[in-house]
Amino acid sequence: MVSNGTVQLSLAEVFQLSVDTLTCHGLALAHAESIARVITAGQRDECHSHGLYRLISCVDAMRRGKVALDAVPEVEEVSPAITRVDAKFGFSQLAFDRGVGSLINKAQVIGIAALAVNNCYHFSALWPEVERIAGAGLVGLAMTPSHSWVAPAGGTKPVYGTNPIAFAWPRPGRHPYVFDFATSATARGEIELHRRAGKKIPPGWALDAQGNPTEDAEAALAGTMLTFGGHKGSALSAMIELMGGALIGDMLSADSYRFDDGAKVTPCHGELLLAFSPQLLGGVGAAAGADRAEAMFGSIGAQGARLPSQRRFEARERSEAHGVVVPAALYADILALSAR
């Protein structure tokens, strides 16, 4: 239904539109369905820069011949605690789907486990992944570099990626405690959405190509992004480069940018996911630990503060009941991708 410059879609329609758009460009169905699930989740939770908008960059990467359209991820059981998945230069979502079960099983048996995903094109938010881990009663942590778009604190030249990190704490009977944020001042997709809408970006997000602060989205995309929190965000960004890149034998953001070779498509690199068992690590104190966590969450809400992801969960309930609203211009752009 079209109204006031928007289109209303059901979640099933968002999923099918995503699958159809991707497969018509030759992406294998298994990949398309894995990607469609995370795109639908992003649109459902009103994370617009990670919803249907991402189909544009996915198709662009496919058209430029950068992504292996029929890659079959290879799962390696490295040790009782470590699983590795070689994505074979396909998109990351199917590789994650193929490896997460092993990660969960190992963490439930040993207490701590790691999943390294290598050689993947990664564009999506991390919260769907850590929510999957939390859904198994485990604590989840995920991190990944990107392209070197971000200057270190005090600098003006890009070194880091936007370098997101996500964490999930299971809460039986309710949504997990989740945060997911870029260690840059904002996600690059947010700047791209500001550019599409002809809107200024807030101060502190980016520098222009000459190293001057800018509120112009176009100039920001041509220049350098900034970390959040000055030197603190910069240090976290460096940690993610090391753990989500060097530690798992994969590219750092600068390597990914060089590998891109001017194509300006979705970054190619690796991802590290960690899972922890509260039961095994907590031992006889596990139940008391869960109670203390709930007391902390309660004290946050009691003073009117909002838990991270609360906005997403509220949006999720609305979308599951009523569907989602998409800008008509974006919907038209997506239909045009497949000449529908």
Side-chain angles (χ1 to χ4, degrees):
M1 182 175 68
V2 180
S3 175
N4 298 322
T6 63
V7 178
Q8 186 162 1
L9 301 172
S10 69
L11 295 181
E13 288 172 327
V14 172
F15 177 83
Q16 196 59 51
L17 175 62
S18 301
V19 170
D20 292 346
T21 301
L22 295 166
T23 54
C24 85
H25 288 277
L27 190 65
L29 181 60
H31 279 284
E33 290 180 341
S34 285
I35 291 172
R37 281 191 286 271
V38 299
I39 284 177
T40 302
Q43 199 68 48
R44 175 200 65 196
D45 288 10
E46 296 179 5
C47 296
H48 299 295
S49 65
H50 287 287
L52 284 169
Y53 168 72
R54 287 289 168 170
L55 288 172
I56 296 172
S57 59
C58 287
V59 170
D60 184 51
M62 292 157 56
R63 282 174 168 170
R64 292 175 185 270
K66 283 290 189 178
V67 179
L69 303 183
D70 58 354
V72 179
E74 184 177 300
V75 180
E76 178 188 1
E77 304 295 346
V78 178
S79 79
I82 300 172
T83 302
R84 183 187 309 280
V85 182
D86 184 348
K88 304 288 188 179
F89 297 97
F91 286 114
S92 66
Q93 288 72 29
L94 183 60
F96 170 79
D97 285 346
R98 296 283 170 86
V100 67
S102 177
L103 172 71
I104 289 170
N105 291 338
K106 289 179 177 181
Q108 289 172 335
V109 172
I110 296 174
I112 302 174
L115 171 63
V117 180
N118 293 113
N119 305 319
C120 66
Y121 284 86
H122 194 288
F123 68 86
S124 62
L126 297 179
W127 55 259
E129 298 175 0
V130 293
E131 278 194 30
R132 184 102 155 254
I133 296 169
L138 302 169
V139 174
L141 184 66
M143 61 193 78
T144 182
S146 58
H147 280 336
S148 51
W149 288 312
V150 183
T156 59
K157 302 298 182 185
V159 173
Y160 306 136
T162 53
N163 291 13
I165 185 169
F167 172 85
W169 177 275
R171 303 177 69 193
R174 62 182 74 189
H175 293 300
Y177 172 90
V178 181
F179 70 73
D180 177 2
F181 54 75
T183 51
S184 53
T186 189
R188 192 166 181 86
E190 288 296 330
I191 298 178
E192 292 171 345
L193 288 177
H194 277 70
R195 179 189 60 79
R196 284 177 62 90
K199 294 166 56 179
K200 287 185 176 181
I201 61 171
W205 277 16
L207 308 174
D208 64 19
Q210 289 71 48
N212 301 310
T214 184
E215 296 178 32
D216 181 272
E218 194 77 46
L221 292 170
T224 308
M225 298 171 65
L226 297 172
T227 59
F228 84 92
H231 70 280
K232 296 182 180 180
S234 189
L236 287 173
S237 230
M239 180 196 76
I240 293 167
E241 294 283 342
L242 297 171
M243 293 189 68
L247 181 65
I248 63 171
D250 217 311
M251 290 188 279
L252 305 189
S253 295
D255 301 313
S256 177
Y257 190 79
R258 285 190 291 270
F259 181 80
D260 181 75
D261 196 26
K264 297 182 179 180
V265 299
T266 296
C268 182
H269 44 66
E271 179 184 6
L272 175 65
L273 300 107
L274 303 172
F276 308 85
S277 167
Q279 287 70 35
L280 293 178
L281 286 166
V284 296
D291 290 342
R292 291 187 183 104
E294 289 303 316
M296 182 186 74
F297 298 144
S299 68
I300 292 169
Q303 56 188 293
R306 191 174 70 179
L307 294 177
S309 294
Q310 185 175 325
R311 181 207 62 79
R312 284 199 306 103
F313 294 139
E314 292 168 355
R316 185 176 301 184
E317 291 183 9
R318 290 193 299 271
S319 298
E320 288 175 343
H322 306 295
V324 299
V325 174
V326 179
L330 174 61
Y331 184 65
D333 286 345
I334 293 168
L335 293 182
L337 290 176
S338 51
R340 293 175 61 193

